[in-house]
Amino acid sequence: MRLLHISDLHAGKRLYDKINRNQDLIYALEQVKNICKEEKVEILLIAGDIFDKRNPDFESQEIILEFLTEINSFGMHTLLIAGNHDSYDFMRIYKNLRRLANIHVFDRPKRDIREAIFEYKDVRIACLPYPDERVLTGLEENKERNYVESIARYMKALAKEVEGAEYKILMAHLMLDKAQIAGSELYSSLLPKYAIRADSIPETFDYVALGHIHKHQRIEETVPKVYYSGSPYQIDFSEKNPKKFANLLSLENGIVKVMPMELPLKRKLVEVELKDGDHIEKVLEPLVQDNVLVKVWFKVRMGDPLYNLKKERIEKILGDKLAKLEVEPIETKTSVDVNEENLDLIDYYVKFYDNEYGSKPPEDLKRLLQELLDRVAHEANKA
Ligand SMILES: [Mn+2]
């Protein structure tokens, strides 16, 4: 039998409030659907962070619901757990889907462990949605027990519940101490007090399907095969590695075999640095050939009279591929630059003013600027 493990879809993700990433998600979900069909996958595991926001917008909900119903039409089962980005209450609405389809939503950790188990043929899957600290202490009789200990105990109880099955799987959304982060995970959820020790994962499990960390990886030195599938596309520019995967699992002869399947991307996120003196076209034009979103780190001399023109050139070359222009001012000795550039700064200022306000600058402002420039030139000559 075959299973597929994915996580961290972050439907509704936006970059800098303007770039909607849903087309990247739709493209990734197309790949996932193809793998499911071609490999005859029977169960799809989605290990949390389905949505990016606690109140997902309509478009994101539509994308997810359409994906789930299509997977369902293949005759497969889908298991979803809530991640730290998801709202427990919002995910609870989706729970009722199981009455209509083979879609099983685990919205929050439950006191009754039996409610966290999914059974199908010879597989038992224990599901641990992101354990919010408040929910966890509500489950514990001993309120003094710390977060990490409580989760270790809860996982032990889950392990006990799957014993006896041929294949025992844990799906969870959490931070393991041994995990390497991608950079786009929510910072507060990476605090050491929330990091679960990898060796507290019960040895009972054959495979552990994790969500939360966006970088695909296997956690070593654990008895079960413990994997983060990672996000199916680069969530933001802090994820430098464009290699993304879904984990295909083959359950045969009592063994879980793991086959990471690389997912092509709709758009790669690329960061580029433009230094003073770089030829803007030469650096940027080759990038435009590909399907990319670009973040430009623009190092510019303070008071560079050509700043606006350069900025316009960057924006023109990259067009809607420009996700962000990050300007980093660098200090220089202004007087020398004025001489080097041999530019009439007053003329430049008039042009700039016209650009900015659509009129000529007042005469007294021009006079003031001229006085200032004369003084600078005077001081420079003295030195
Ligand atoms: Mn996430």
Side-chain angles (χ1 to χ4, degrees):
M1 179 178 20
R2 294 196 150 182
L3 279 71
L4 194 70
H5 161 208
I6 59 171
S7 77
D8 295 84
L9 309 182
H10 288 267
K13 174 72 190 177
R14 278 171 178 274
L15 288 177
Y16 311 110
D17 271 336
K18 57 170 188 176
I19 296 168
N20 185 331
R21 302 300 308 285
N22 279 345
Q23 56 169 295
D24 303 86
L25 172 64
I26 291 169
Y27 187 79
L29 294 178
E30 283 300 321
Q31 319 303 315
V32 169
K33 276 188 271 182
N34 289 342
I35 297 170
C36 287
K37 252 194 263 180
E38 278 161 27
E39 303 292 338
K40 300 191 170 54
V41 172
E42 291 180 59
I43 304 172
L44 175 65
L45 304 173
I46 311 180
D49 282 358
I50 319 299
F51 297 103
D52 189 62
K53 302 270 171 345
R54 303 178 67 78
N55 286 311
D57 58 276
F58 297 141
E59 186 192 75
S60 313
Q61 293 189 51
E62 188 182 7
I63 291 166
I64 294 300
L65 206 53
E66 206 172 296
F67 171 69
L68 292 177
T69 47
E70 209 169 335
I71 287 286
N72 186 66
S73 75
F74 301 166
M76 294 171 50
H77 286 268
T78 303
L79 272 62
L80 298 98
I81 57 173
N84 55 305
H85 276 254
D86 300 306
S87 141
Y88 287 157
D89 289 326
F90 185 80
M91 295 306 282
R92 194 182 64 205
I93 302 169
Y94 276 65
K95 258 176 96 166
N96 288 322
L97 283 172
R98 71 160 173 244
R99 296 188 199 164
L100 306 166
N102 296 324
I103 300 167
H104 314 269
V105 175
F106 298 84
D107 62 327
R108 71 193 78 203
K110 285 290 161 65
R111 188 188 283 269
D112 183 354
I113 295 288
R114 281 166 304 179
E115 282 184 49
I117 309 294
F118 174 80
E119 194 163 2
Y120 175 81
K121 295 186 180 171
D122 46 6
V123 191
R124 243 177 250 168
I125 303 170
C127 295
L128 174 55
Y130 177 70
D132 185 279
E133 207 171 5
R134 277 160 300 174
V135 171
L136 208 68
T137 44
L139 294 177
E140 276 283 349
E141 267 108 62
N142 178 1
K143 306 276 181 217
E144 295 306 303
R145 207 183 294 275
N146 75 38
Y147 181 80
V148 170
E149 273 175 58
S150 301
I151 290 169
R153 233 167 73 100
Y154 194 84
M155 287 195 295
K156 251 190 208 158
L158 289 170
K160 214 161 162 242
E161 204 61 32
V162 297
E163 264 171 19
E166 171 83 348
Y167 300 100
K168 297 162 281 286
I169 291 174
L170 170 67
M171 170 158 69
H173 190 92
L174 39 85
M175 166 74 186
L176 286 186
D177 57 355
K178 294 240 167 72
Q180 292 183 314
I181 62 163
S184 51
E185 301 86 356
L186 199 65
Y187 175 73
S188 63
S189 60
L190 297 176
L191 296 174
K193 93 179 251 220
Y194 295 110
I196 310 302
R197 287 173 56 126
D199 59 16
S200 68
I201 293 174
E203 298 184 4
T204 314
F205 295 107
D206 300 299
Y207 181 83
V208 181
L210 294 178
H212 186 48
I213 302 298
H214 295 168
K215 182 182 158 83
H216 177 272
Q217 62 197 287
R218 180 180 178 173
I219 303 296
E220 303 290 346
E221 296 157 45
T222 50
V223 175
K225 289 172 177 162
V226 178
Y227 276 89
Y228 283 100
S229 66
S231 48
Y233 60 100
Q234 289 161 289
I235 301 300
D236 66 32
F237 283 96
S238 55
E239 290 186 35
K240 310 286 180 222
N241 192 344
K243 282 206 181 300
K244 293 294 170 186
F245 299 89
N247 263 6
L248 183 64
L249 312 179
S250 163
L251 279 50
E252 250 175 280
N253 307 320
I255 290 169
V256 177
K257 210 174 117 195
V258 184
M259 293 164 282
M261 309 286 278
E262 193 173 343
L263 302 170
L265 302 182
K266 171 87 176 171
R267 295 181 288 188
K268 250 190 238 174
L269 301 192
V270 177
E271 276 184 292
V272 62
E273 194 183 277
L274 268 178
K275 289 190 290 290
D276 188 41
D278 276 351
H279 191 289
I280 294 176
E281 279 76 9
K282 264 193 198 146
V283 175
L284 297 183
E285 268 166 4
L287 286 176
V288 189
Q289 324 282 325
D290 297 318
N291 285 330
V292 286
L293 282 172
V294 185
K295 177 175 183 175
V296 178
W297 292 93
F298 184 27
K299 301 214 164 157
V300 67
R301 285 174 302 147
M302 272 162 85
D304 182 349
L306 296 175
Y307 168 72
N308 273 303
L309 283 175
K310 288 178 179 171
K311 187 169 166 259
E312 276 168 27
R313 267 159 71 200
I314 295 169
E315 285 165 347
K316 196 167 158 242
I317 298 165
L318 291 176
D320 58 6
K321 290 185 163 134
L322 178 65
K324 177 85 174 164
L325 182 62
E326 199 79 64
V327 178
E328 283 187 290
I330 47 175
E331 303 242 14
T332 47
K333 293 163 266 160
T334 323
S335 60
V336 176
D337 296 332
V338 171
N339 293 337
E340 268 179 3
E341 294 280 347
N342 205 17
L343 257 174
D344 188 345
L345 275 181
I346 298 292
D347 279 354
Y348 195 83
Y349 179 69
V350 171
K351 229 196 254 166
F352 162 80
Y353 197 97
D354 190 33
N355 243 340
E356 206 72 10
Y357 305 105
S359 65
K360 287 209 160 57
E363 278 305 315
D364 51 346
L365 211 61
K366 261 170 73 180
R367 222 171 14 244
L368 210 67
L369 184 64
Q370 186 62 62
E371 264 177 50
L372 204 66
L373 286 172
D374 290 343
R375 238 164 66 198
V376 169
H378 180 70
E379 292 295 324
N381 288 338
K382 267 205 307 200

